[in-house]
Amino acid sequence: MIYLKQDFDPIHTFECGQCFRWNQSDNGYIGICGGKVCRVSNDTIYCPDSDNEYWTNYFSADTDYSEIKKYLESHDETLKKCIDFGGGIRILHQDIWETIISFIISANNNIPRIKKILETMCREFGDKIDFKYNSKLGIPEGEYYSFPEPERLNSLSIEDLACLRAGYRDKYIMDAAEKVSSGEVNLKDIPEMPTELAKKELLKIKGVGGKVADCILLFSMGRYELFPKDVWIKRILNQVYGVEEKETDSFVTEKYGNYAGFAQQYMYYYYRENDIEK
DNA sequence: GACCAGGAACCGA
DNA sequence: TCGGTTCATGGT
């Protein structure tokens, strides 16, 4: 088990749009990553002790958010209410491969459907996890599926993906599976690269453009200086801050610096849960 | 039935 | 480089 006493609320963290495979159950959120199952309720992460290190990294449990918040609030008065509202957001260190596929699917799509496509993908092509019921963890019995490895997806044909109802994105999924399993895109190298180079590497995959690459780097590798700009964020920057699309990069860099990714998440979550005109 | 969704590929200038 | 079009699918 892990305790996250400060700056953490599972609702904020799991509902802010960075992840798609955490689902609310009657006693908290159940999630699967790296072939491991865990439950999160309030400030506690319920997992086998042998997985503590994995989830500590996943939740970035050693990161001190007070300094981040202080910096952002002092640079942007308007952002204060967003931080007050979603102060329990933690930017996760998700699995790179899963994040690549998730955000390829996110293109021109909506969150409920993204979740549905990913869930079907795991149920159809992932492995059933050998989960031993443990009453202490409070994880309900059930069938849990891992995220399918690149090699597994690469062994399929594009027709096999039709059951996902992912539309035109199925060919992008196949391209990612092929390039990653062949080593043309080496996922082991990318975390070691400088951000610009890492981004360039990800852009080799069809279906990965600038915004999707930013999401992958921010939500799986902690590149907190990135600020993914989707339709919502563009709308917010325009309507709340009066910033035109062309000026966004300089606006963001000047205002949020190396903490831009956090600002983006607080903003995104707040204005999606509340009316944009306030 | 049009419009939208955590966009990107593709094309022509 | 830049702006417009098209791309499946499901929900509203």
Side-chain angles (χ1 to χ4, degrees):
Chain A
M1 293 206 289
I2 302 163
Y3 301 100
L4 255 170
K5 295 281 184 204
Q6 297 199 328
D7 302 309
F8 178 64
D9 184 325
I11 297 173
H12 300 170
T13 294
F14 298 138
E15 305 293 345
C16 70
Q18 62 177 321
C19 55
F20 304 101
R21 288 193 72 215
W22 286 89
N23 294 303
Q24 203 151 26
S25 75
D26 51 4
N27 60 349
Y29 279 85
I30 309 289
I32 304 158
C33 194
K36 307 173 198 314
V37 187
C38 97
R39 177 173 72 93
V40 182
S41 179
N42 298 318
D43 64 352
T44 307
I45 294 152
Y46 296 86
C47 64
D49 288 338
S50 55
D51 294 342
N52 273 356
E53 190 180 341
Y54 181 85
W55 293 111
T56 297
N57 174 63
Y58 182 89
F59 285 99
S60 199
D62 296 330
T63 303
D64 179 9
Y65 270 64
S66 58
E67 189 190 325
I68 295 164
K69 292 177 175 178
K70 202 186 301 174
Y71 178 92
L72 292 177
E73 288 180 1
S74 67
H75 286 73
D76 182 356
E77 191 80 11
T78 312
L79 196 60
K80 267 185 183 172
K81 62 174 180 295
C82 304
I83 297 176
D84 288 340
F85 180 80
I89 292 176
R90 270 176 187 267
I91 295 185
L92 302 168
H93 287 275
Q94 301 182 71
D95 177 76
I96 298 174
W97 169 243
E98 179 173 343
T99 310
I100 289 172
I101 296 299
S102 299
F103 281 92
I104 284 175
I105 293 169
S106 80
N108 197 21
N109 212 338
N110 58 67
I111 290 176
R113 204 161 75 89
I114 296 165
K115 294 182 73 164
K116 196 171 176 185
I117 291 169
L118 289 169
E119 200 47 52
T120 306
M121 179 184 285
C122 293
R123 201 174 56 243
E124 292 290 328
F125 307 122
D127 296 322
K128 193 191 267 188
I129 295 171
D130 182 23
F131 168 70
K132 294 177 192 64
Y133 180 69
N134 177 338
S135 62
K136 197 179 82 178
L137 299 179
I139 299 172
E141 291 197 74
E143 295 186 350
Y144 300 99
Y145 292 90
S146 66
F147 197 87
E149 297 296 325
E151 293 75 15
R152 171 62 175 143
L153 294 184
N154 194 40
S155 74
L156 304 172
S157 68
I158 199 156
E159 290 80 13
D160 295 327
L161 297 184
C163 62
L164 305 179
R165 319 300 293 164
Y168 61 91
R169 305 169 191 85
D170 52 7
K171 55 182 178 290
Y172 300 151
I173 296 169
M174 292 306 293
D175 187 67
E178 187 192 335
K179 289 194 170 119
V180 170
S181 49
S182 74
E184 186 177 341
V185 173
N186 189 337
L187 299 190
K188 296 269 188 292
D189 293 343
I190 293 179
E192 313 300 325
M193 295 178 181
T195 298
E196 276 313 309
L197 203 59
K199 187 166 175 176
K200 205 170 151 189
E201 194 66 15
L202 289 169
L203 290 174
K204 288 182 182 174
I205 300 169
K206 283 185 187 166
V208 177
K211 188 268 175 182
V212 167
D214 285 350
C215 286
I216 297 165
L217 290 162
L218 176 60
F219 300 141
S220 77
M221 276 171 267
R223 304 300 170 101
Y224 302 131
E225 72 274 27
L226 297 177
F227 189 96
K229 292 180 286 283
D230 69 330
V231 291
W232 288 86
I233 289 290
K234 288 174 187 170
R235 200 175 298 154
I236 293 161
L237 288 179
N238 186 277
Q239 294 185 22
V240 178
Y241 294 90
V243 177
E244 295 295 330
E245 194 166 337
K246 294 178 120 176
E247 325 166 304
T248 53
D249 284 349
S250 54
F251 174 84
V252 164
T253 307
E254 265 182 47
K255 219 169 179 63
Y256 307 123
N258 284 327
Y259 294 147
F262 298 104
Q264 194 268 10
Q265 281 306 97
Y266 291 129
M267 210 181 268
Y268 181 81
Y269 183 57
Y270 179 84
Y271 289 105
R272 288 205 48 148
E273 301 286 328
N274 299 284
D275 272 344
I276 198 161
E277 324 286 349
K278 28 180 194 175

